[in-house]
Amino acid sequence: MDQQAFNEALMKLCILLYQADGKITLKEQDYFYALQQKIDWQGEEDLEDFQRRAILEVRDVLRQGEQKAYVSALRDALSVDAKRALAVAQGISHIDGDMADEEVEILDHLQNRVLAKSLSPANDQPTQQASLAS
């Protein structure tokens, strides 16, 4: 997996998290925008086109109740930098000061099932700072 695959998976995860509770706050939008500004986008597809497609994809996932399967499908790409993926996911979930049950479930699944192996101390490697600044 490469950095671009990680970037795409991270964007999809964030879109899922900010849409999971059915309301998008200004703080969530600002956080997501800040993330976009920090990502070194190298995709074949324009970032805005990717984002529009990902939003439609996430809406289908939410409608079908397939959030956990969706996050699981992002495992390999998110494992490129598991600490950053978890930190960003937690950040967008907490930014509005209110964590919906749906967000809690997605974060628990992400941390305890999807990224658990990559986050274990045995796999602890020097990584970029787990913030938007990385």
PDB file of all heavy atoms in Angstrom, residues 69-81:
ATOM      1  N   ALA A  69     -18.313  -3.056   7.995  1.00  0.00           N
ATOM      2  CA  ALA A  69     -17.729  -3.724   6.824  1.00  0.00           C
ATOM      3  C   ALA A  69     -16.946  -2.723   5.978  1.00  0.00           C
ATOM      4  O   ALA A  69     -15.869  -3.034   5.450  1.00  0.00           O
ATOM      5  CB  ALA A  69     -18.820  -4.393   5.992  1.00  0.00           C
ATOM      6  N   TYR A  70     -17.458  -1.518   5.860  1.00  0.00           N
ATOM      7  CA  TYR A  70     -16.798  -0.459   5.090  1.00  0.00           C
ATOM      8  C   TYR A  70     -15.449  -0.107   5.707  1.00  0.00           C
ATOM      9  O   TYR A  70     -14.436  -0.037   5.015  1.00  0.00           O
ATOM     10  CB  TYR A  70     -17.708   0.767   5.029  1.00  0.00           C
ATOM     11  CG  TYR A  70     -17.224   1.873   4.119  1.00  0.00           C
ATOM     12  CD1 TYR A  70     -17.266   1.728   2.736  1.00  0.00           C
ATOM     13  CD2 TYR A  70     -16.749   3.059   4.643  1.00  0.00           C
ATOM     14  CE1 TYR A  70     -16.834   2.748   1.901  1.00  0.00           C
ATOM     15  CE2 TYR A  70     -16.329   4.086   3.817  1.00  0.00           C
ATOM     16  CZ  TYR A  70     -16.369   3.921   2.442  1.00  0.00           C
ATOM     17  OH  TYR A  70     -15.952   4.941   1.613  1.00  0.00           O
ATOM     18  N   VAL A  71     -15.440   0.073   7.017  1.00  0.00           N
ATOM     19  CA  VAL A  71     -14.191   0.395   7.714  1.00  0.00           C
ATOM     20  C   VAL A  71     -13.213  -0.777   7.603  1.00  0.00           C
ATOM     21  O   VAL A  71     -12.019  -0.573   7.369  1.00  0.00           O
ATOM     22  CB  VAL A  71     -14.458   0.767   9.188  1.00  0.00           C
ATOM     23  CG1 VAL A  71     -13.163   0.924   9.966  1.00  0.00           C
ATOM     24  CG2 VAL A  71     -15.277   2.049   9.259  1.00  0.00           C
ATOM     25  N   SER A  72     -13.716  -1.982   7.719  1.00  0.00           N
ATOM     26  CA  SER A  72     -12.849  -3.160   7.586  1.00  0.00           C
ATOM     27  C   SER A  72     -12.200  -3.234   6.211  1.00  0.00           C
ATOM     28  O   SER A  72     -11.044  -3.634   6.080  1.00  0.00           O
ATOM     29  CB  SER A  72     -13.642  -4.444   7.849  1.00  0.00           C
ATOM     30  OG  SER A  72     -14.048  -4.504   9.204  1.00  0.00           O
ATOM     31  N   ALA A  73     -12.934  -2.819   5.196  1.00  0.00           N
ATOM     32  CA  ALA A  73     -12.399  -2.834   3.830  1.00  0.00           C
ATOM     33  C   ALA A  73     -11.258  -1.829   3.650  1.00  0.00           C
ATOM     34  O   ALA A  73     -10.458  -1.953   2.728  1.00  0.00           O
ATOM     35  CB  ALA A  73     -13.508  -2.559   2.826  1.00  0.00           C
ATOM     36  N   LEU A  74     -11.167  -0.850   4.550  1.00  0.00           N
ATOM     37  CA  LEU A  74     -10.109   0.170   4.484  1.00  0.00           C
ATOM     38  C   LEU A  74      -8.860  -0.246   5.269  1.00  0.00           C
ATOM     39  O   LEU A  74      -7.876   0.483   5.294  1.00  0.00           O
ATOM     40  CB  LEU A  74     -10.626   1.504   5.030  1.00  0.00           C
ATOM     41  CG  LEU A  74     -11.856   2.102   4.341  1.00  0.00           C
ATOM     42  CD1 LEU A  74     -12.329   3.339   5.090  1.00  0.00           C
ATOM     43  CD2 LEU A  74     -11.559   2.427   2.891  1.00  0.00           C
ATOM     44  N   ARG A  75      -8.876  -1.420   5.890  1.00  0.00           N
ATOM     45  CA  ARG A  75      -7.819  -1.873   6.805  1.00  0.00           C
ATOM     46  C   ARG A  75      -6.416  -1.745   6.219  1.00  0.00           C
ATOM     47  O   ARG A  75      -5.542  -1.131   6.838  1.00  0.00           O
ATOM     48  CB  ARG A  75      -8.048  -3.309   7.232  1.00  0.00           C
ATOM     49  CG  ARG A  75      -6.858  -3.906   8.024  1.00  0.00           C
ATOM     50  CD  ARG A  75      -7.056  -5.345   8.394  1.00  0.00           C
ATOM     51  NE  ARG A  75      -8.051  -5.396   9.455  1.00  0.00           N
ATOM     52  CZ  ARG A  75      -9.124  -6.183   9.431  1.00  0.00           C
ATOM     53  NH1 ARG A  75      -9.345  -6.990   8.426  1.00  0.00           N
ATOM     54  NH2 ARG A  75      -9.976  -6.160  10.430  1.00  0.00           N
ATOM     55  N   ASP A  76      -6.168  -2.339   5.079  1.00  0.00           N
ATOM     56  CA  ASP A  76      -4.802  -2.350   4.533  1.00  0.00           C
ATOM     57  C   ASP A  76      -4.274  -0.945   4.293  1.00  0.00           C
ATOM     58  O   ASP A  76      -3.139  -0.635   4.642  1.00  0.00           O
ATOM     59  CB  ASP A  76      -4.732  -3.162   3.235  1.00  0.00           C
ATOM     60  CG  ASP A  76      -4.924  -4.656   3.472  1.00  0.00           C
ATOM     61  OD1 ASP A  76      -4.804  -5.111   4.635  1.00  0.00           O
ATOM     62  OD2 ASP A  76      -5.204  -5.368   2.490  1.00  0.00           O
ATOM     63  N   ALA A  77      -5.097  -0.108   3.716  1.00  0.00           N
ATOM     64  CA  ALA A  77      -4.659   1.257   3.412  1.00  0.00           C
ATOM     65  C   ALA A  77      -4.444   2.063   4.697  1.00  0.00           C
ATOM     66  O   ALA A  77      -3.444   2.784   4.824  1.00  0.00           O
ATOM     67  CB  ALA A  77      -5.669   1.954   2.512  1.00  0.00           C
ATOM     68  N   LEU A  78      -5.343   1.941   5.666  1.00  0.00           N
ATOM     69  CA  LEU A  78      -5.205   2.696   6.913  1.00  0.00           C
ATOM     70  C   LEU A  78      -4.031   2.200   7.750  1.00  0.00           C
ATOM     71  O   LEU A  78      -3.469   2.958   8.540  1.00  0.00           O
ATOM     72  CB  LEU A  78      -6.494   2.628   7.730  1.00  0.00           C
ATOM     73  CG  LEU A  78      -7.694   3.358   7.140  1.00  0.00           C
ATOM     74  CD1 LEU A  78      -8.949   3.088   7.964  1.00  0.00           C
ATOM     75  CD2 LEU A  78      -7.428   4.852   7.023  1.00  0.00           C
ATOM     76  N   SER A  79      -3.648   0.953   7.570  1.00  0.00           N
ATOM     77  CA  SER A  79      -2.530   0.387   8.329  1.00  0.00           C
ATOM     78  C   SER A  79      -1.184   0.974   7.921  1.00  0.00           C
ATOM     79  O   SER A  79      -0.203   0.806   8.643  1.00  0.00           O
ATOM     80  CB  SER A  79      -2.509  -1.140   8.167  1.00  0.00           C
ATOM     81  OG  SER A  79      -3.655  -1.695   8.783  1.00  0.00           O
ATOM     82  N   VAL A  80      -1.127   1.679   6.804  1.00  0.00           N
ATOM     83  CA  VAL A  80       0.107   2.352   6.387  1.00  0.00           C
ATOM     84  C   VAL A  80       0.580   3.282   7.498  1.00  0.00           C
ATOM     85  O   VAL A  80       1.779   3.381   7.787  1.00  0.00           O
ATOM     86  CB  VAL A  80      -0.103   3.126   5.061  1.00  0.00           C
ATOM     87  CG1 VAL A  80       1.040   4.085   4.784  1.00  0.00           C
ATOM     88  CG2 VAL A  80      -0.288   2.146   3.912  1.00  0.00           C
ATOM     89  N   ASP A  81      -0.348   3.975   8.148  1.00  0.00           N
ATOM     90  CA  ASP A  81      -0.034   4.837   9.284  1.00  0.00           C
ATOM     91  C   ASP A  81      -1.209   4.756  10.259  1.00  0.00           C
ATOM     92  O   ASP A  81      -2.016   5.671  10.377  1.00  0.00           O
ATOM     93  CB  ASP A  81       0.223   6.279   8.831  1.00  0.00           C
ATOM     94  CG  ASP A  81       0.834   7.150   9.921  1.00  0.00           C
ATOM     95  OD1 ASP A  81       0.807   6.746  11.109  1.00  0.00           O
ATOM     96  OD2 ASP A  81       1.324   8.239   9.596  1.00  0.00           O
TER      97      ASP A  81
END
